[in-house]
Amino acid sequence: MVILNLIAWRKKNKVIHSYIEQKQKQINQSLVRELDQLELPLDLKDALLYATKAGGKRLRPVLMMASFEAFNHSIEKVLHPALALEMIHTYSLIHDDLPAMDDDDFRRGKHTLHKKYDEATAILIGDGLLTYAFQVVSNSDQLDAEEKVYVLQQLSQASGFEGMIAGQHLDLQGENQSLEEQELNRVHQLKTGALIRSAVKIGAYLGGATPPQIESMDQFASYLGLIFQIQDDILDVSGEMDVIGKPVGSDEEKNKSTYPQIMGLEQAINMKESYMNKAKEKYSEANINQPILLELLEVFGNRDA
Amino acid sequence: MVILNLIAWRKKNKVIHSYIEQKQKQINQSLVRELDQLELPLDLKDALLYATKAGGKRLRPVLMMASFEAFNHSIEKVLHPALALEMIHTYSLIHDDLPAMDDDDFRRGKHTLHKKYDEATAILIGDGLLTYAFQVVSNSDQLDAEEKVYVLQQLSQASGFEGMIAGQHLDLQGENQSLEEQELNRVHQLKTGALIRSAVKIGAYLGGATPPQIESMDQFASYLGLIFQIQDDILDVSGEMDVIGKPVGSDEEKNKSTYPQIMGLEQAINMKESYMNKAKEKYSEANINQPILLELLEVFGNRDA
């Protein structure tokens, strides 16, 4: 029986990984197509494509698409919002990597934008990607005006002053300080959690979820965001550079508080498991007859990069 | 007769200046009210209010409101878009002033944000203001969904890659290079012109202008943008620091091409006059029975700060 279960698990795992790969491919292609049509000075275009092709897991748009597909099949509707979300995420990484911020030279195993080009270019490309995210949604030919407004409200709130901006500010302030678990949760809920929640909410809303379903999904996403961050911290302690694409131990080097540091590695892993159970509860409250998001939860919660 | 004309001119001039002051006051109050309600870490809030209260002419929102009032009286409708526009303008100044960009220590006679605080704060406040601009419009209780979408399309396009971003990039590239008149026009049409045009177009659209009227107004605004920039360059050569709020000659110091430099001061003044006549022609094509925008043209074209 154990062997049979393992075979079933491998098969299921293969299905979800091919689902993720298929979505990633769709996002990568659409992203390049969308940005490549811009008429820009050549060096600016070059930098923009470098920043966009640098890759990454495309977690947020994959999540939004999966959340949409939990309710609906016509995936075209969610494509522009998904691209916008990835543009916002990409801009935030570019600016966070700047010398005045986290001062990172590598990202996903490649030079960060300001190392490859210069700081002015990195600031401008970030600004442009943020702006283009809102442009892509407001110009979408797949959404009606009400839908556009909902998407824009969610994205701007999640990435704005009371979301990602405050999170990055608190994260920078938190360097060389020892944060309590609650403070650390707050930093991550703002810095990465808000955007992950917006991914799931927008997907569910556009897919046709009811307000109570959106509410349950939002709580599911809230746990997912924390799980993702705890796993990030765990990987920074125990991962390998050639897999995670940046130097191991870079959090410690910057004296940033991490979950393993404030509670120990084992306890951090336990906490992650407990959040995964809570996320599953919330998901079942939404009454969705579609397991993709639960499988994504497993994959992202146990990822090794 | 000459004396009588002069009295009439002074009276008219007084009216337009009190119009501008009244709008500036309304914008300043609404801007602070809008931003003050944000729940932010205290030091971030402090920096945000410093950046916003630094003042300035509020040219763009005044223009948008005047353009709206050329067609309509219920001014509440245009307030959120006007605030958003000023937020975008403010963000662009904050980022342009950064050491990696124009490296300016003073703006409007006060320390720039990164000098008063630090670079990370200036990057974040800029990012946040840009994002909040889109949030304020998408959450407005004064606009319907179609109107919001129009405003967001215009703002994102004007401030995006193919507008302000490309303009700032070309402006930076243009340092230490001698540009032709046409290239210089292109830089300014992108860097400042696009946003000024969006101000006038959004105002006219929300006010109820017909498509041909919006088109004429757009061309009017296109000249206005160039006039504004030529006057900026003229002031950089011939203005006074305590009036313009930044060191005179800072363009020359950075080896930036300016209109007076490539064609001489006198010719630059002549060109400005000729654009002012063209702007008036376009304005009369729009068939508006309201002189405020023409008076604004005179005021901004001949301003001394």
Side-chain angles (χ1 to χ4, degrees):
Chain A
M1 280 304 285
V2 172
I3 291 173
L4 273 180
N5 276 345
L6 191 63
I7 292 172
W9 182 84
R10 279 195 182 139
K11 199 171 159 194
K12 192 179 90 172
N13 220 18
K14 205 172 159 191
V15 171
I16 183 66
H17 279 291
S18 87
Y19 177 88
I20 294 173
E21 272 166 35
Q22 183 222 324
K23 296 300 178 205
Q24 286 171 333
K25 202 171 158 189
Q26 193 176 0
I27 293 154
N28 288 338
Q29 284 173 347
S30 307
L31 208 48
V32 169
R33 194 170 51 233
E34 196 66 50
L35 294 169
D36 208 27
Q37 74 191 3
L38 287 169
E39 289 186 23
L40 288 183
L42 280 183
D43 44 352
L44 198 63
K45 179 75 149 285
D46 196 49
L48 174 60
L49 292 177
Y50 178 84
T52 316
K53 286 178 179 164
K57 293 173 289 290
R58 312 300 190 197
L59 161 73
R60 290 153 190 80
V62 170
L63 258 183
M64 194 192 282
M65 291 163 111
S67 178
F68 178 91
E69 290 193 310
F71 299 94
N72 202 309
H73 293 293
S74 55
I75 194 73
E76 303 75 28
K77 206 179 186 72
V78 81
L79 189 62
H80 288 133
L83 294 180
L85 181 61
E86 187 64 11
M87 288 176 199
I88 291 176
H89 174 59
T90 305
Y91 121 77
S92 77
L93 298 183
I94 293 170
H95 280 192
D96 286 4
D97 285 339
L98 285 166
M101 306 272 257
D102 291 350
D103 194 13
D104 279 313
D105 292 351
F106 289 94
R107 163 82 61 186
R108 299 163 183 162
K110 293 171 72 178
H111 270 131
T112 47
L113 198 59
H114 66 273
K115 287 300 282 185
K116 173 82 178 174
Y117 297 84
D118 55 35
E119 280 185 55
T121 303
I123 294 169
L124 279 177
I125 295 286
D127 291 345
L129 276 169
L130 173 58
T131 311
Y132 201 54
F134 295 109
Q135 194 174 347
V136 161
V137 174
S138 53
N139 285 321
S140 174
D141 54 3
Q142 301 289 330
L143 304 170
D144 66 31
E146 298 283 351
E147 289 167 335
K148 289 177 186 182
V149 168
Y150 180 88
V151 173
L152 293 164
Q153 284 171 338
Q154 293 296 323
L155 289 180
S156 60
Q157 191 185 324
S159 61
F161 276 124
E162 292 179 325
M164 199 170 68
I165 299 283
Q168 171 66 0
H169 175 77
L170 292 174
D171 194 34
L172 288 170
Q173 301 298 102
E175 284 182 19
N176 305 313
Q177 276 189 43
S178 178
L179 301 184
E180 305 283 323
E181 182 187 330
Q182 218 178 349
E183 295 167 305
L184 194 58
N185 278 352
R186 181 168 154 70
V187 170
H188 294 309
Q189 273 160 345
L190 291 167
K191 186 173 171 176
T192 57
L195 217 53
I196 287 173
R197 284 170 61 192
S198 82
V200 171
K201 281 173 82 175
I202 290 170
Y205 167 85
L206 292 178
T210 64
Q213 282 178 315
I214 296 176
E215 175 60 26
S216 299
M217 294 287 274
D218 185 31
Q219 291 175 20
F220 163 81
S222 177
Y223 286 115
L224 180 62
L226 284 172
I227 290 162
F228 195 77
Q229 186 58 49
I230 299 169
Q231 185 65 6
D232 225 40
D233 287 356
I234 291 171
L235 288 172
D236 192 71
V237 180
S238 61
E240 294 179 31
M241 176 172 174
D242 60 346
V243 183
I244 62 175
K246 61 180 179 182
V248 175
S250 60
D251 292 334
E252 197 181 3
E253 200 181 304
K254 281 180 203 137
N255 262 324
K256 284 199 178 186
S257 296
T258 68
Y259 290 99
Q261 183 213 308
I262 64 174
M263 60 181 65
L265 184 58
E266 198 181 346
Q267 181 55 26
I269 293 170
N270 288 342
M271 197 170 79
K272 186 188 73 176
E273 296 298 335
S274 123
Y275 285 157
M276 286 183 76
N277 289 330
K278 286 184 179 165
K280 286 172 200 167
E281 274 172 38
K282 290 297 165 190
Y283 192 77
S284 70
E285 278 177 25
N287 271 321
I288 307 164
N289 192 15
Q290 219 266 33
I292 295 270
L293 274 169
L294 282 183
E295 292 166 21
L296 282 178
L297 175 70
E298 297 285 350
V299 169
F300 290 128
N302 296 309
R303 71 206 158 85
D304 59 3
Chain B
M1 279 306 282
V2 172
I3 291 173
L4 273 180
N5 275 346
L6 191 64
I7 291 171
W9 182 83
R10 277 195 182 138
K11 199 172 158 194
K12 193 178 92 173
N13 221 18
K14 205 174 159 189
V15 171
I16 183 65
H17 275 113
S18 87
Y19 178 88
I20 294 172
E21 272 166 35
Q22 182 220 325
K23 295 299 178 207
Q24 286 172 333
K25 202 172 158 187
Q26 194 176 358
I27 292 154
N28 288 338
Q29 284 172 347
S30 307
L31 208 48
V32 169
R33 192 171 51 233
E34 197 65 51
L35 294 168
D36 208 28
Q37 75 191 3
L38 287 168
E39 287 186 24
L40 289 182
L42 281 183
D43 44 352
L44 199 62
K45 180 75 150 286
D46 195 49
L48 174 59
L49 292 177
Y50 178 84
T52 317
K53 285 179 179 164
K57 293 174 288 290
R58 312 299 191 198
L59 162 73
R60 290 153 190 79
V62 170
L63 258 182
M64 193 192 282
M65 290 163 113
S67 179
F68 179 90
E69 290 193 309
F71 300 93
N72 202 309
H73 294 293
S74 56
I75 194 74
E76 302 74 29
K77 207 178 185 71
V78 80
L79 189 62
H80 288 132
L83 293 180
L85 181 61
E86 186 65 11
M87 287 176 201
I88 291 175
H89 174 59
T90 306
Y91 121 76
S92 77
L93 298 183
I94 293 170
H95 280 192
D96 286 4
D97 285 338
L98 285 167
M101 306 272 256
D102 291 351
D103 194 12
D104 280 313
D105 292 351
F106 288 94
R107 164 81 60 186
R108 299 164 182 161
K110 294 170 71 177
H111 269 131
T112 46
L113 197 60
H114 67 273
K115 287 300 283 186
K116 172 82 178 175
Y117 296 85
D118 55 36
E119 280 185 53
T121 303
I123 295 167
L124 279 176
I125 294 286
D127 291 344
L129 276 170
L130 173 58
T131 312
Y132 201 54
F134 296 110
Q135 195 174 347
V136 161
V137 174
S138 54
N139 285 321
S140 173
D141 53 4
Q142 301 290 329
L143 304 170
D144 65 31
E146 298 283 351
E147 289 168 333
K148 289 176 187 183
V149 168
Y150 181 89
V151 173
L152 293 164
Q153 285 172 337
Q154 293 296 323
L155 289 180
S156 60
Q157 191 183 326
S159 62
F161 276 124
E162 292 180 323
M164 198 169 70
I165 299 283
Q168 171 67 359
H169 175 76
L170 292 174
D171 194 34
L172 288 170
Q173 300 299 102
E175 285 182 21
N176 305 313
Q177 276 189 45
S178 178
L179 301 184
E180 305 283 323
E181 182 187 329
Q182 217 179 348
E183 295 167 305
L184 195 57
N185 278 353
R186 182 169 153 69
V187 170
H188 294 309
Q189 272 159 347
L190 291 167
K191 186 174 171 175
T192 57
L195 216 54
I196 287 173
R197 283 170 62 191
S198 82
V200 170
K201 280 173 82 176
I202 290 170
Y205 167 85
L206 291 178
T210 65
Q213 283 178 315
I214 296 175
E215 175 60 27
S216 299
M217 295 286 275
D218 185 31
Q219 292 175 21
F220 163 81
S222 177
Y223 286 115
L224 181 62
L226 284 173
I227 291 162
F228 195 78
Q229 186 58 49
I230 298 169
Q231 184 65 6
D232 224 40
D233 286 357
I234 291 172
L235 288 172
D236 193 70
V237 180
S238 60
E240 294 179 30
M241 174 168 175
D242 59 345
V243 183
I244 63 175
K246 61 180 180 182
V248 174
S250 60
D251 290 335
E252 198 182 2
E253 198 181 304
K254 281 178 204 141
N255 261 324
K256 284 200 177 184
S257 296
T258 68
Y259 290 100
Q261 183 213 310
I262 63 174
M263 60 180 64
L265 184 58
E266 197 179 345
Q267 182 56 23
I269 292 170
N270 287 342
M271 197 169 79
K272 186 187 74 176
E273 295 298 334
S274 122
Y275 285 158
M276 285 183 77
N277 289 330
K278 286 183 179 168
K280 285 173 199 165
E281 275 171 37
K282 290 297 165 190
Y283 192 77
S284 71
E285 278 177 27
N287 271 322
I288 306 163
N289 192 16
Q290 219 265 33
I292 294 272
L293 273 168
L294 283 183
E295 292 166 21
L296 282 178
L297 175 69
E298 297 285 350
V299 169
F300 289 128
N302 297 309
R303 71 206 158 85
D304 59 3

